[in-house]
Amino acid sequence: MLDLNIIEQTKQILANLEAEFTLRAEYSDNDAHATEFKQFVTDFAGVSDKINIQWHESSDAKLLITILKNNQEIGIAFRGMPEGHEYSSLLLALLNADGKGKNLPDPAIIARIKNIKGTLKLKTYMSLSCTNCPDVVQALNIIALNNPAITHETIDGALFQNEINSLNIQGVPAVYAEGELLHSGRGDLAQLLQKIEDRFGVENNTETVEHRFDVIVLGGGPAGASAAIYSARKGLRVAIVAERIGGQVNDTSAIQNLISVTETNGTKLAANLREHLQAYNVQLFEHRTITATQLKGSQKRITARGGETFIAPAVIIATGASWRRLNLENEEKYIGRGVHFCPHCDGPFYKGKDVVVVGGGNSGLEAAIDLAAICRKVTVFEFTDTFRADEVLKNKALQTPNISLHTNTQTTGLIGDDQSLSLVTYRNTVTAEEDAIEVDGIFIQIGLSPNSKIFANELQLTQRGEIEIDASCRTGIPGVYAAGDVSTVPYKQIVVAMGEGAKAALSAFDDRMRGIIPSE
């Protein structure tokens, strides 16, 4: 079942396994996918003499692969055949359990995972074509691997449609904890760990740890990576404190305007940023969520969830931006149940159905065109009096018969039965006329919102939430700089963010040389 090229590549990847792994494969011969399942397990186990199979056949088995290390369960299981984008999740489950995986959490994050209270069963419903699902699956596998009281089961929703229907899942990944929805949509280890901590609590045995550096960079995207590299090249002790290296870049598909790189994608660029950072003496504190800041004074203090404090005379803020929301009353309630942000991941749930796309920029019309290929009707709402997308996209949308375009239209309400969305209300901003449209889902594509709220009490922000900077990336506080999408720099582009990160680092070094900020 596995392609011969994939088998050979997998043999190389798993060639150095040290522990003995067992795949406990549970199935029923009455299942329509039983033959395919058995072949997949057989092919995968055949790549290494360190992988064995325990077959369990029964009438109620559900194509379940449970991973055991040295005959002990590690808390990770897959229901279905983890192919497509999830094949890497299966590989990493083995590598991480064997201590050979990449980007494993550091001791501080592992301590937080171990401190989660009680026993916990996690389930993630995913699609093999979903590009955001592996990040969530792999993050939860890491949590299960590092806390013996937590288990995580990954489920291919296409094979278990009855569960998808009974839970009314309309978007993936959908994470359930003890039977209740915990998370829907894209996510990373920092976000998921925080949600689990908030829902189930933590033990109060976390030690406060202080880290001191010359420069602390907040954010690991293009601006943050550039700032850290430029600072490290000056011989300074530099740390990056971030939720994930690459930041929002991780959620970008094709990138064709990064000068000198003809074409790449977000995953590759994020990996390249990490590789470049690791070539210098930059310490990476990933999966951190900032909870408090003290930016005034000669020594700045940044506090992260879990009790860590980062101290330095210079701080470069490059926290980027997040998907902007409509801020409507029921928006949060219907996320994953009618409200979505990723047409590529969740669009397939709306085959033959009616959807609304909010946003008339490039991302909005791109989403509308993609959705029109599978949906019965796509209605696009744009708040202003004109669509801001490129002409080629506007022409394509106008020529697509099942796309309806509306300008001067404000989305005002989301209505449903608490389980799924059924109605979107809207208002004409010129005539003030109000109306409603029956829909099955809504895709929000209205740009990004700066990740600046944590700094609002100390730094000057614009009405849009951007940090005010001068031409040299300096803020109103000596020793504090901002770069990239979180700042007032125009044009939120990767190449611009990289340049701004370099500029911020050079300004910080210049201030250090002139004694504006202390060197010790």
Side-chain angles (χ1 to χ4, degrees):
M1 180 179 171
L2 287 178
D3 181 89
L4 289 177
N5 289 331
I6 293 177
I7 290 176
E8 289 304 314
Q9 292 172 16
T10 305
K11 285 181 179 179
Q12 296 177 22
I13 293 171
L14 301 181
N16 296 319
L17 288 179
E18 296 181 15
E20 295 287 337
F21 288 94
T22 300
L23 306 181
R24 188 168 67 213
E26 303 175 40
Y27 69 99
S28 168
D29 273 332
N30 295 325
D31 194 300
H33 300 280
T35 301
E36 183 183 3
F37 175 77
K38 289 189 287 185
Q39 188 62 57
F40 175 87
V41 175
T42 300
D43 288 349
F44 186 80
V47 303
S48 171
D49 57 7
K50 293 290 186 179
I51 304 177
N52 305 302
I53 307 173
Q54 285 182 3
W55 296 107
H56 293 268
E57 197 276 332
S58 66
S59 59
D60 60 349
K62 294 184 176 180
L63 307 178
L64 182 66
I65 302 171
T66 304
I67 301 175
L68 288 76
K69 174 185 175 184
N70 297 331
N71 294 319
Q72 299 293 320
E73 292 190 17
I74 62 173
I76 298 174
F78 293 87
R79 189 131 56 87
M81 290 146 283
E83 301 177 282
H85 291 297
E86 292 304 338
Y87 191 69
S88 60
S89 298
L90 176 59
L91 293 176
L92 279 173
L94 297 179
L95 291 171
N96 289 345
D98 206 42
K100 295 181 173 62
K102 294 183 178 180
N103 308 329
L104 288 168
D106 56 61
I109 298 299
I110 292 175
R112 283 177 59 190
I113 293 172
K114 291 181 181 296
N115 284 338
I116 296 170
K117 283 185 176 179
T119 59
L120 179 59
K121 291 183 179 180
L122 301 170
K123 291 183 178 181
T124 298
Y125 291 88
M126 55 78 184
S127 164
L128 296 179
S129 62
C130 168
T131 56
N132 289 324
C133 291
D135 287 341
V136 171
V137 168
Q138 291 163 24
L140 294 174
N141 281 346
I142 284 175
I143 290 174
L145 188 62
N146 286 282
N147 188 324
I150 298 176
T151 61
H152 178 229
E153 180 181 345
T154 302
I155 303 161
D156 182 356
L159 297 183
F160 300 95
Q161 196 64 45
N162 59 325
E163 293 182 42
I164 295 291
N165 293 337
S166 65
L167 293 169
N168 197 32
I169 295 174
Q170 296 176 302
V172 289
V175 181
Y176 284 77
E178 295 296 314
E180 297 292 330
L181 183 65
L182 175 75
H183 174 86
S184 180
R186 58 167 60 93
D188 53 42
L189 179 56
Q191 295 170 321
L192 293 163
L193 179 55
Q194 181 172 331
K195 285 189 175 184
I196 293 172
E197 289 173 330
D198 290 343
R199 178 80 63 90
F200 298 97
V202 295
E203 303 291 346
N204 292 321
N205 57 359
T206 303
E207 295 183 7
T208 300
V209 179
E210 287 189 352
H211 307 280
R212 292 183 177 271
F213 294 92
D214 296 320
V215 179
I216 295 171
V217 179
L218 306 181
S226 176
I229 289 168
Y230 264 73
S231 296
R233 285 175 59 84
K234 297 296 186 181
L236 302 176
R237 294 169 298 150
V238 184
I240 280 186
V241 181
E243 290 194 355
R244 56 179 175 166
I245 301 303
Q248 199 72 17
V249 158
N250 287 279
D251 303 322
T252 306
S253 52
I255 299 171
Q256 299 171 325
N257 56 0
L258 183 57
I259 309 307
S260 84
V261 180
T262 305
E263 184 171 1
T264 187
N265 60 52
T267 302
K268 289 181 181 178
L269 181 55
N272 291 340
L273 291 176
R274 182 185 297 277
E275 183 180 1
H276 202 167
L277 287 164
Q278 291 173 335
Y280 289 89
N281 187 27
V282 176
Q283 284 194 242
L284 305 182
F285 294 88
E286 202 172 0
H287 315 305
R288 267 53 175 196
T289 301
I290 300 170
T291 58
T293 64
Q294 292 177 280
L295 300 177
K296 296 177 181 177
S298 61
Q299 295 295 321
K300 324 300 183 186
R301 300 176 68 90
I302 307 297
T303 303
R305 194 176 181 112
E308 289 177 288
T309 300
F310 301 86
I311 303 171
V315 170
I316 299 174
I317 300 170
T319 47
S322 300
W323 295 106
R324 192 182 297 276
R325 298 190 178 187
L326 296 172
N327 294 320
L328 297 176
E329 182 179 352
N330 292 324
E331 187 172 6
E332 186 73 25
K333 178 167 68 175
Y334 288 117
I335 289 177
R337 298 179 178 181
V339 173
H340 306 279
F341 300 89
C342 180
H344 303 292
C345 299
D346 300 334
F349 287 92
Y350 293 90
K351 184 176 181 179
K353 298 182 178 181
D354 298 341
V355 300
V356 163
V357 173
V358 181
N362 283 345
S363 60
L365 291 196
E366 284 173 355
I369 293 166
D370 288 343
L371 290 166
I374 54 177
C375 296
R376 181 173 56 188
K377 182 178 180 181
V378 179
T379 303
V380 182
F381 290 164
E382 164 56 34
F383 182 78
T384 66
D385 61 359
T386 184
F387 287 96
R388 295 162 286 107
D390 295 340
E391 285 298 320
V392 64
L393 292 174
K394 286 191 281 188
N395 292 335
K396 176 68 174 177
L398 287 168
Q399 294 167 10
T400 304
N402 60 333
I403 293 179
S404 177
L405 302 176
H406 300 264
T407 56
N408 297 315
T409 304
Q410 179 184 10
T411 307
T412 56
L414 305 170
I415 301 172
D417 59 2
D418 290 340
Q419 295 299 314
S420 60
L421 184 71
S422 59
L423 203 68
V424 172
T425 61
Y426 60 94
R427 183 177 70 91
N428 185 297
T429 58
V430 176
T431 66
E433 181 182 355
E434 297 186 0
D435 206 342
I437 180 172
E438 292 185 4
V439 297
D440 299 289
I442 183 170
F443 290 81
I444 301 170
Q445 303 284 296
I446 55 175
L448 300 170
S449 177
N451 296 324
S452 61
K453 187 177 296 184
I454 193 71
F455 312 109
N457 291 333
E458 296 185 274
L459 293 175
Q460 183 68 39
L461 306 183
T462 67
Q463 192 172 11
R464 291 172 53 86
E466 299 168 326
I467 297 175
E468 292 271 13
I469 58 171
D470 65 12
S472 300
C473 295
R474 294 181 175 93
T475 70
I477 299 177
V480 180
Y481 313 83
D485 289 2
V486 74
S487 76
T488 51
V489 64
Y491 312 119
K492 312 302 185 183
Q493 298 290 312
I494 292 171
V495 68
V496 173
M498 287 180 171
E500 290 295 298
K503 189 194 298 182
L506 293 172
S507 295
F509 184 74
D510 185 48
D511 288 349
R512 181 185 178 92
M513 292 297 97
R514 293 191 294 136
I516 295 175
I517 59 176
S519 59
E520 293 295 338

